[in-house]
Amino acid sequence: MSRRIVISGAGCLSAAGSRMEDLGRALEAGTGLARAERIELGVGEWLETEVARIPDIDRGAFLPPARRRRMSLLSQNWVVACLQARADAQMTATPDPERAGVVLGTCLGSLENTIKYLDIVHHDGMGLGNPFLFSESVANAPAGHAAIDLDCRGFNVTLTCGAASGLMAVQTAARAIRDGRIDLAFAGGIEEMPAALLVVLARLGAIPARGSPVARRSLAHVSGSRNRAPGEGAACFILETEEGARRRGVEPYAEVLGCAAVSDPHATDIGWSHSVDVWAEMMRRTLEGSGVAPQELDGAMLHACGDPGAERAECEALERVILSEKNRPEDFLLGSPSLVVGQLAGAGAFGVAAAILALKDRQPPGDAGHPPARPASERGPRRQDALHILVNGGSWGGSCSGLLLGRAV
Amino acid sequence: MKAPRRIAITGIGVVSALGSNAVEYLTALGEGRCGIRPLSLFETSGCLSDVGGQAPEPTLTHIARRGRLSRSDRFCIMAASESLVQAGLRPGTDLDGFGISLGCSTAGMLEGERALAEVSDRGWSRAPVRPFLHIPTHTPADAVARFAGIRGPRLSNMTACSSASLAIGLAADLIRNREVKGMVAGGGDALCRLTYSGFNSLRLLSPRPCRPFDSERDGMSLGEGAGILVLEDWDTAVERGAQPQAEFLDYGTSCDAHHMTTPHPDGRGALAAMRQALERSGLRPAEVDYINAHGTGTPTNDAAEIHAITALFKEDLDHVQVSSTKSMVGHLLGGAGGVESVTVVLALRNDLVPPTLGLRRHEGDTAIDFVSSRSRSRRLEVAISNSFGFGGTNTCLVFRRAGGS
């Protein structure tokens, strides 16, 4: 890479709270934050599942009422995360707006608004659509709002790569800075979890659920849960040139060393890649592109989606490409924020949040997921001085992506 | 230091209201035929308009499990299939080292809407939920990747009407950075009730086929289909015997940061995107022969684009010719940049400037040379394609004639 790129600020809204410290504590504890939620489906019909929701937070502290009225909750969450990240990076305004971009990842955008809009049109007619709901149903609405509120006039893209969207957004932002298109980016992911989405996921057998007799009969019969409990959240990172961060006297969280993405054409539309070769190829390419040897890698934030086949493939690939090369594999840090803040939270961007916290604060996250969550007090000896951490991402349909972060020197 | 990679376009494929392949499309462009007609895909009563660029029914007899594909998936597979054949690449065997980057805004919303209507009528426990799987906008990229056996990076973006153009730009970045040797890139969208009634709610639909840049223009026409290109590292493509159809030089992208649904009145972002695209391509405005404009036919969009083109080209305005092919196929939203990139490649290959139908008298006193009513024959060396969208996004792609210098 000709330009060194660092992550100099972060803002995260998740089930853990609205501050990075909240997230750090939750990841350290390694306890899942999903809570049971009952969804009424009609007279006497209901489903119950678990979801990790953002607690009530005061968005008005960040956004004036006039702006909030023009935004869906999803857009508000993204803009609040961006504003937090900018403050965290010690900026009061966006420097050089023409050279600043927004790169957002989301799997579904504002599905809530889309459903509301279509329900009105279905019942009242095609000519009676609500223009506000329509414009906020467009998946890139949050990125457009962020550009207005943060005055970012450069590169603006909304990636929709399923559950890997947030991670792909960070990759794309890093590439845009490296290629000289912009000097600074607000990059990350968002996701919301409307009840309709939970019902669809439950009925497809993608998340565990129970329900009233009629509702239960509609659930797909699968052996065990195929995915972790879902979560909502927004995670924004400031990516900028190392020189830009240094000029402002900011100590970055981490340096972006490299990334790669591959895909599995044999994965189904509701399945993750089960191919060890595909996961291994992604890890190998990420390491090669970063110039980091497997022996130098200190940890990985796993995708760990909960699907046994996909988890086995991810772990076997890790063993094949990285752990087999290490002298003391037992010291390797393993974490998976999806067990804590929920699957899909931040469209996969929370792996980046967990990795930068581990790199900056030298605080490894809880081993949520691999092996099953253990509190820090029960953990064996772990390296506290991680220098290089790999972040894995994946999506239904078979995409696998990786990002390698290093401690900023 | 390695020399920057040149990027060849070795294949194109297109489905639109003007036909199901590039030959039909080129013939219609040359003849100046309009594909915008009353829609039969869904009911439009209560809307300002009942017309749109509805494409021929997408048929895919050779694909297994095609019943599970959305209309958008099918458009994208048809266009990708044509582009791969032209590039001489066999799906499943010749695409080692290739990735995919598609831009879509509606994806399988048409199928999702039907499912939501069933939910509304029958309840969540009884309505089928599988059609909801078509709603995420990455599903067309997944469908094409499965069809073609693509194992490389799989990018999908939904950046409103800039989606497919950005998809092509992002694909080119991956080739230039040597992360892949080639990409299947572009975009596609099917018409659906959400966007049709949505643009109606914003009072942006014209009751008749749109008339971009005309002084009496009164809105846009929506369309559907897909436009997909095969982009490859030039040297690798030539080595394997492929015939480049055109060269992709670079792109520029920006954001108005002004309003969610209305462009900056001065075309601030559009100007920045075009300027950046030309600078990165190492070109001066005077070297551009043809602009395939965003040209939706809405009063505000066209005025902003005229401002931007005038500000960039200044005294070179008489050299460049401008048209909007949305007057023939409608606005494909996320897929627009894909079909319009195919248009530009065909224009460069055939020395043909397609017309803007319905343009009788352009607005204001601009010196822009709008091509109206009939296509023109002219040797073209460099052409650009503009795509601007909701959220203030702007993207400009730059193409050069294959073998141009």
Side-chain angles (χ1 to χ4, degrees):
Chain A
M1 274 193 196
S2 47
R3 299 178 105 184
R4 292 182 67 177
I5 298 155
V6 296
I7 296 178
S8 59
C12 292
L13 308 185
S14 70
S18 59
R19 296 173 309 163
M20 282 297 279
E21 303 89 271
D22 301 331
L23 180 67
R25 272 195 296 275
L27 292 173
E28 165 43 355
T31 309
L33 298 169
R35 298 288 174 267
E37 194 164 290
R38 184 174 156 124
I39 304 160
E40 300 300 334
L41 301 176
V43 182
E45 287 183 47
W46 54 271
L47 270 182
E48 190 177 280
T49 186
E50 287 194 344
V51 58
R53 292 216 179 271
I54 300 173
D56 277 343
I57 58 167
D58 181 15
R59 294 174 182 84
F62 298 90
L63 290 166
R67 283 296 293 148
R68 287 181 64 194
R69 274 198 298 276
R70 289 174 184 274
M71 294 184 198
S72 66
L73 196 60
L74 189 75
S75 292
Q76 290 180 37
N77 286 344
W78 174 243
V79 176
V80 168
C82 287
L83 290 166
Q84 285 183 327
R86 190 170 74 175
D88 192 38
Q90 296 170 34
M91 287 184 275
T92 49
T94 304
D96 199 355
E98 313 280 346
R99 302 283 301 163
V102 178
V103 191
L104 173 62
T106 178
C107 180
L108 286 155
S110 184
L111 188 63
E112 180 107 52
N113 270 27
T114 306
I115 291 171
K116 273 187 203 162
Y117 180 88
L118 287 171
D119 203 46
I120 292 171
V121 168
H122 178 61
H123 288 106
D124 301 344
M126 286 282 282
L128 293 173
N130 176 320
F132 169 77
L133 289 178
F134 173 62
S135 58
E136 283 299 299
S137 77
V138 182
N140 76 322
H145 283 299
I148 294 169
D149 282 80
L150 297 147
D151 198 15
C152 293
R153 299 184 214 160
F155 196 82
N156 188 298
V157 62
T158 296
L159 289 157
T160 49
C161 306
S165 302
L167 190 58
M168 295 292 266
V170 176
Q171 287 193 359
T172 303
R175 202 175 282 119
I177 296 173
R178 182 185 58 193
D179 293 349
R181 293 192 181 277
I182 44 175
D183 298 326
L184 180 145
F186 293 82
I190 46 168
E191 216 61 66
E192 63 182 7
M193 282 294 143
L197 178 59
L198 296 176
V199 175
V200 171
L201 293 173
R203 285 199 49 198
L204 290 167
I207 56 172
R210 60 193 197 91
S212 55
V214 174
R216 201 166 51 234
R217 278 201 296 278
S218 71
L219 299 176
H221 295 284
V222 291
S223 51
S225 151
R226 288 196 287 132
N227 296 289
R228 301 213 179 285
E232 55 185 17
C236 175
F237 309 100
I238 303 285
L239 270 69
E240 61 177 319
T241 59
E242 189 249 351
E243 189 192 355
R246 186 157 22 95
R247 256 201 313 267
R248 290 200 320 284
V250 179
E251 186 194 340
Y253 284 96
E255 181 175 356
V256 180
L257 298 175
C259 59
V262 298
S263 57
D264 180 355
H266 303 298
T268 66
D269 51 359
I270 52 168
W272 317 88
S273 175
H274 286 198
S275 164
V276 180
D277 289 343
V278 169
W279 282 99
E281 180 69 10
M282 178 274 286
M283 292 178 197
R284 206 173 287 123
R285 285 192 192 190
T286 306
L287 287 168
E288 280 170 11
S290 311
V292 172
Q295 303 88 312
E296 296 175 277
L297 200 64
D298 301 301
M301 292 302 134
L302 298 175
H303 177 54
C305 59
D307 172 351
E311 289 200 350
R312 198 178 312 117
E314 187 182 12
C315 290
E316 280 183 37
L318 190 76
E319 178 66 38
R320 186 195 292 177
V321 178
I322 295 158
L323 297 181
S324 61
E325 301 288 327
K326 294 193 72 74
N327 292 332
R328 288 180 55 82
E330 62 275 17
D331 284 346
F332 195 74
L333 294 175
L334 280 175
S336 172
S338 63
L339 189 89
V340 178
V341 294
Q343 191 69 229
L344 263 178
F350 276 91
V352 178
I356 64 171
L357 285 171
L359 286 165
K360 188 174 186 185
D361 300 337
R362 305 183 179 208
Q363 177 59 63
D367 291 279
H370 287 274
R374 287 175 296 164
S377 55
E378 292 176 21
R379 270 196 242 121
R382 285 285 186 275
R383 283 177 67 129
Q384 302 288 312
D385 56 348
L387 292 175
H388 300 110
I389 294 182
L390 171 72
V391 183
N392 287 352
S395 174
W396 278 5
S399 285
C400 297
S401 44
L403 181 78
L404 211 147
L405 299 172
R407 180 177 295 165
V409 179
Chain B
M1 194 169 163
K2 291 177 183 170
R5 278 180 156 186
R6 288 175 71 194
I7 295 172
I9 291 158
T10 55
I12 54 172
V14 61
V15 181
S16 75
L18 294 177
S20 298
N21 58 59
V23 173
E24 290 175 10
Y25 185 62
L26 175 63
T27 306
L29 289 180
E31 293 172 356
R33 215 184 302 146
C34 182
I36 301 169
R37 289 180 280 269
L39 294 180
S40 61
L41 195 58
F42 46 76
E43 185 60 45
T44 58
S45 57
C47 293
L48 296 165
S49 175
D50 66 349
V51 299
Q54 186 175 329
E57 205 55 30
T59 48
L60 288 170
T61 48
H62 58 295
I63 306 267
R65 305 179 84 183
R66 54 189 172 274
R68 286 197 165 187
L69 298 172
S70 70
R71 189 173 174 88
S72 290
D73 292 345
R74 290 164 183 237
F75 285 141
C76 289
I77 290 176
M78 285 170 70
S81 180
E82 185 186 12
S83 69
L84 290 170
V85 168
Q86 193 176 69
L89 295 165
R90 286 166 301 173
T93 50
D94 293 341
L95 289 158
D96 188 34
F98 274 70
I100 182 167
S101 173
L102 293 191
C104 302
S105 66
T106 67
M109 186 55 74
L110 183 71
E111 290 76 12
E113 287 163 355
R114 289 180 189 141
L116 272 170
E118 281 209 58
V119 166
S120 197
D121 298 338
R122 296 169 58 195
W124 276 107
S125 298
R126 291 167 182 83
V129 290
R130 210 171 195 292
F132 287 102
L133 292 173
H134 294 302
I135 290 179
T137 52
H138 64 86
T139 49
D142 289 349
V144 175
R146 269 196 296 276
F147 155 75
I150 293 170
R151 295 170 180 277
R154 196 183 294 172
L155 283 176
S156 170
N157 82 86
M158 195 305 201
T159 312
C161 310
S162 290
S163 303
S165 293
L166 268 166
I168 292 166
L170 297 176
D173 287 342
L174 288 173
I175 297 172
R176 254 192 203 116
N177 291 328
R178 297 169 196 273
E179 294 177 52
V180 291
K181 62 184 185 190
M183 293 288 286
V184 173
D189 267 333
L191 283 161
C192 64
R193 294 168 190 82
L194 174 72
T195 48
Y196 204 89
S197 72
F199 282 101
N200 180 73
S201 75
L202 294 168
R203 320 305 284 175
L204 290 176
L205 290 185
S206 170
R208 45 198 165 164
C210 63
R211 293 166 294 164
F213 303 117
D214 189 75
S215 58
E216 291 178 23
R217 66 189 182 276
D218 56 2
M220 63 198 288
S221 300
L222 292 176
E224 65 175 358
I228 291 187
L229 299 85
V230 177
L231 277 70
E232 292 185 68
D233 164 48
W234 185 284
D235 294 339
T236 314
V238 170
E239 238 167 63
R240 71 169 183 84
Q243 181 71 46
Q245 309 290 308
E247 182 173 0
F248 178 75
L249 293 180
D250 214 316
Y251 71 104
T253 185
S254 71
C255 185
D256 283 2
H258 166 69
H259 190 273
M260 286 303 293
T261 57
T262 307
H264 191 280
D266 297 338
R268 177 174 81 182
L271 172 62
M274 284 192 282
R275 182 173 283 149
Q276 189 192 116
L278 293 183
E279 281 173 7
R280 291 186 69 96
S281 302
L283 295 172
R284 289 172 291 114
E287 293 175 271
V288 178
D289 301 311
Y290 170 53
I291 301 175
N292 187 288
H294 184 55
T296 56
T298 66
T300 51
N301 174 81
D302 290 4
E305 191 167 12
I306 289 172
H307 266 291
I309 292 172
T310 308
L312 180 64
F313 286 84
K314 295 186 181 112
E315 63 273 16
D316 298 317
L317 270 178
D318 56 344
H319 175 76
V320 67
Q321 296 180 342
V322 179
S323 70
S324 167
T325 40
K326 287 185 177 76
S327 59
M328 284 182 261
V329 294
H331 189 349
L332 276 78
L333 303 177
V339 170
E340 287 158 21
S341 293
V342 168
T343 309
V344 164
V345 172
L346 287 170
L348 288 166
R349 240 174 55 188
N350 296 281
D351 291 327
L352 172 93
V353 181
T356 309
L357 302 185
L359 170 53
R360 285 167 299 185
R361 193 166 52 110
H362 65 72
E363 188 186 71
D365 58 353
T366 177
I368 294 174
D369 182 5
F370 289 107
V371 180
S372 57
S373 306
R374 284 187 184 168
S375 59
R376 286 190 207 164
S377 184
R378 177 192 176 182
R379 183 171 170 88
L380 301 173
E381 290 293 335
V382 173
I384 66 176
S385 170
N386 284 342
S387 293
F388 313 138
F390 263 23
T393 59
N394 310 283
T395 302
C396 173
L397 307 177
V398 186
F399 299 85
R400 182 162 61 190
R401 186 186 194 88
S405 54

